[in-house]
Amino acid sequence: MYCGVASRVCRQRQKELGAGRHDQAFKYLGQDFQTLRDDCLSRGVMFEDVHFPPGPSIIGFKELGPKSSKTSGIRWKRPGEICNNPQFILDGATRTDICQGALGDCWLLAAIASLTLNEKVLHRVVPHGQGFQRQYCGIFHFQFWQFGEWVEVVIDDRLPVKDGELVFLHSADRNEFWSALLEKAYAKLNGCYEALSGGSTSEGFEDFTGGVTEMYNLRKPPTDLYGIIRKALDRGSLLGCSIDITSMSDMEAVTFKKLVKGHAYSLTGAKEVLCRGSLEKLVRLRNPWGEVEWTGPWSDRSNEWNHVAPGHRREMQVKLEDGEFWMSFSDFQREFNRLEICNLTADALSSDRLHTWSTSLYEGAWRRGSTAGGCRNFPATFWINPQFKMELREEDDNSEHQESGCSFLVALMQKNRRQLRQAGQDMETIGFAIYEVPQEYAGRSAVHLKRDFFLTHGSRARSELFINLREVSSRFRLPPGEYIIVPSTFEPNKEGDFCLRVFSEKQAHSEELDDEISADLQEEVEVPEHEIDERFKALFRQLAGEVKLPPRDESPCSQFRYVQGHGGETFDQHKD
């Protein structure tokens, strides 16, 4: 326990000095790319990653387990053994570099496809200066955002191959490998390849950007959703969409017009075109399979393109059967159910003015018997959940189209759940509620509200759903004042770690709430040894053992070590 506390304190001090930013990323598993590459080059050897060695264990544990037919015949090869003239990135990183393999990680591939639209963000994740020519020794590195900090992940370039082809993510160009290596690095971060199966596109979005995702129900869209989409694309935000399924038999079922249910698509463009004298709103989507495209209006071969000016048609039309297609915005809203937009700086997309929000991040944990109280349906234990105080001080800038108040966004994210899949655990069902601080506690910090308060006071706001996604987020507007946020799992006694992020349009103060801990200790009275009962001293020696003093010349550090060594994709949704 003490080692864990010391490690967290040390890490926190490093973060205060700037570590964890994208330009000073933490080294995952202590592996430093530059040091490892220089060592391999000096010795004239190819890098072999001892932390993620080729073999069944890094492929999977269930459907892709060691005895699965899907994994039989897999060989591990470096790109130079797969093809002639391998390239890291060929003619720029584009959406067509992302083709799905034998892994159900379309959510991740949709996020990677969107990532290629923002070159600055792409090269934060995929650093420059990597390739198979200059200083090549089989080592590559990538950066990911993880729960408030950036980490650098190092891998070797041995990739799983079957019948001469890459088993998982690959590029349309056989000799391009950046996307396959990126997927391997992400699999390492999450434990194995199979841990990436199933998920929400927002998870990939956030791990590539550190941004925050908002979800839109296309059955109840905002009035200016098309404008929101265009502004999001202009700002470099990442967008994904999907069609809900009603049962597992619907998963990846193909509709009459060739859309795939339960499948993650990237939304990569939005444009208005003049057709037959009127403007038509269009959106461009990409299927990470690299094939199977929409066959309705504005699809690749549809007649609508014949009524568009030739210049616009040449500019917009995409290659046949490459997985990318246009469709009308009205059809998009009709056919799809969910839209996810990852805002890189939590900008208010409903505003015409760019601005950066104030951000606070807190880490916490739910533990059985102490802080895992479940949702408000369990009043006897709800109050024991962690509580975070937020003070909204300034109202938003006045707008004639909105009510006065303080805008903020709350995002609750559960940590490290993919790594726990091999142990049979998965995402918990999570959500949060927001309460106004009672007047008697206003201005106080060391307060943890008790059971009676929650029995007699309703919440001022809450997450729309409790859902087993990695993150639940909602946008709110409340009057200035003090509020507490209570994050929880749906049921009590569900354990897990989480981080809570609060984004506010104006400056806001937030902190974790807890009871003040104090003790009134009596002054110690020293008892002479001759007054201690001999039977007590004998019992003490029996339990504690004989004292072993270190040699006189032993250093203080070794004494400390001696002492320390003995310290020994369907989602469950619940309305709350």
Side-chain angles (χ1 to χ4, degrees), residues 104-108 195-204 262-264 340 418 421 427 469 569-571:
D105 61 347
C106 59
W107 62 274
L108 174 63
L196 305 183
S197 185
S200 168
T201 307
S202 61
E203 190 173 341
H263 189 61
E340 301 169 68
R418 288 192 179 275
R421 282 188 169 183
M427 300 289 182
L469 289 174
E569 145 209 289
T570 52
F571 302 120

Side-chain angles (χ1 to χ4, degrees), residues 357-399:
W357 286 32
S358 173
T359 306
S360 298
L361 183 145
Y362 293 96
E363 297 183 85
W366 296 296
R367 293 290 180 263
R368 180 188 299 270
S370 62
T371 58
C375 73
R376 296 175 307 143
N377 295 350
F378 303 90
T381 56
F382 177 68
W383 69 275
I384 71 174
N385 284 301
Q387 299 176 18
F388 298 85
K389 179 182 173 184
M390 171 183 63
E391 184 179 358
L392 302 175
R393 296 172 175 170
E394 298 179 64
E395 291 190 346
D396 302 346
D397 296 329
N398 290 330
S399 171

Side-chain angles (χ1 to χ4, degrees), residues 394-441:
E394 298 179 64
E395 291 190 346
D396 302 346
D397 296 329
N398 290 330
S399 171
E400 59 186 43
H401 302 296
Q402 67 183 32
E403 299 176 4
S404 61
C406 306
S407 293
F408 65 100
L409 188 150
V410 177
L412 171 65
M413 180 182 293
Q414 49 189 322
K415 299 171 64 175
N416 306 316
R417 301 306 298 188
R418 288 192 179 275
Q419 290 92 325
L420 296 172
R421 282 188 169 183
Q422 296 186 55
Q425 300 181 46
D426 213 322
M427 300 289 182
E428 295 292 353
T429 303
I430 62 171
F432 58 85
I434 301 174
Y435 293 81
E436 190 168 5
V437 173
Q439 189 61 42
E440 60 268 30
Y441 295 122

Side-chain angles (χ1 to χ4, degrees), residues 260-469:
V260 186
K261 294 183 177 180
H263 189 61
Y265 288 79
S266 310
L267 196 160
T268 60
K271 195 158 188 175
E272 291 182 286
V273 297
L274 189 63
C275 178
R276 294 173 177 169
S278 62
L279 283 175
E280 181 76 42
K281 292 182 173 71
L282 303 181
V283 292
R284 185 179 64 204
L285 306 182
R286 175 164 174 76
N287 180 350
W289 284 353
E291 54 186 17
V292 185
E293 298 181 7
W294 164 252
T295 58
W298 297 100
S299 59
D300 291 354
R301 296 183 175 87
S302 70
N303 292 328
E304 283 78 10
W305 292 108
N306 296 329
H307 303 283
V308 175
H312 285 154
R313 184 166 65 243
R314 285 192 299 270
E315 177 190 341
M316 294 177 62
Q317 275 195 303
V318 292
K319 297 177 183 177
L320 301 179
E321 280 304 305
D322 65 347
E324 193 163 60
F325 55 88
W326 290 92
M327 65 191 306
S328 71
F329 182 60
S330 56
D331 281 336
F332 168 72
Q333 288 185 285
R334 186 181 307 113
E335 299 289 341
F336 285 82
N337 299 95
R338 186 192 305 266
L339 172 68
E340 301 169 68
I341 300 180
C342 181
N343 308 316
L344 304 190
T345 55
D347 290 336
L349 296 178
S350 56
S351 168
D352 290 321
R353 182 174 57 83
L354 283 171
H355 56 274
T356 302
W357 286 32
S358 173
T359 306
S360 298
L361 183 145
Y362 293 96
E363 297 183 85
W366 296 296
R367 293 290 180 263
R368 180 188 299 270
S370 62
T371 58
C375 73
R376 296 175 307 143
N377 295 350
F378 303 90
T381 56
F382 177 68
W383 69 275
I384 71 174
N385 284 301
Q387 299 176 18
F388 298 85
K389 179 182 173 184
M390 171 183 63
E391 184 179 358
L392 302 175
R393 296 172 175 170
E394 298 179 64
E395 291 190 346
D396 302 346
D397 296 329
N398 290 330
S399 171
E400 59 186 43
H401 302 296
Q402 67 183 32
E403 299 176 4
S404 61
C406 306
S407 293
F408 65 100
L409 188 150
V410 177
L412 171 65
M413 180 182 293
Q414 49 189 322
K415 299 171 64 175
N416 306 316
R417 301 306 298 188
R418 288 192 179 275
Q419 290 92 325
L420 296 172
R421 282 188 169 183
Q422 296 186 55
Q425 300 181 46
D426 213 322
M427 300 289 182
E428 295 292 353
T429 303
I430 62 171
F432 58 85
I434 301 174
Y435 293 81
E436 190 168 5
V437 173
Q439 189 61 42
E440 60 268 30
Y441 295 122
R444 294 171 57 183
S445 56
V447 175
H448 188 98
L449 299 178
K450 302 298 189 290
R451 177 173 178 263
D452 288 348
F453 170 82
F454 296 105
L455 290 175
T456 56
H457 293 78
S459 63
R460 287 297 306 268
R462 60 184 182 272
S463 54
E464 182 181 356
L465 296 169
F466 273 71
I467 188 168
N468 61 335
L469 289 174

Side-chain angles (χ1 to χ4, degrees), residues 115-181:
L115 183 66
T116 63
L117 301 177
N118 189 318
E119 189 172 355
K120 182 178 178 181
V121 177
L122 172 69
H123 289 299
R124 178 183 294 180
V125 178
V126 186
H128 280 294
Q130 305 189 79
F132 297 95
Q133 287 76 39
R134 182 173 172 270
Q135 291 190 306
Y136 169 68
C137 58
I139 185 171
F140 291 86
H141 66 136
F142 300 87
Q143 290 195 63
F144 304 102
W145 183 90
Q146 288 285 280
F147 318 117
E149 58 196 35
W150 286 88
V151 295
E152 178 187 67
V153 180
V154 170
I155 57 165
D156 64 36
D157 62 354
R158 293 174 290 182
L159 295 168
V161 174
K162 191 172 183 178
D163 300 325
E165 302 292 336
L166 290 173
V167 176
F168 301 127
L169 172 56
H170 55 278
S171 171
D173 294 300
R174 194 169 186 270
N175 65 330
E176 184 175 41
F177 290 93
W178 74 269
S179 55
L181 293 168

Side-chain angles (χ1 to χ4, degrees), residues 2 57 107 148 150 326 411 430 473 481 492 522 533 540 544 553 567:
Y2 297 111
S57 64
W107 62 274
W150 286 88
W326 290 92
I430 62 171
S473 66
Q522 299 292 326
D533 186 85
F540 180 83
D553 60 347

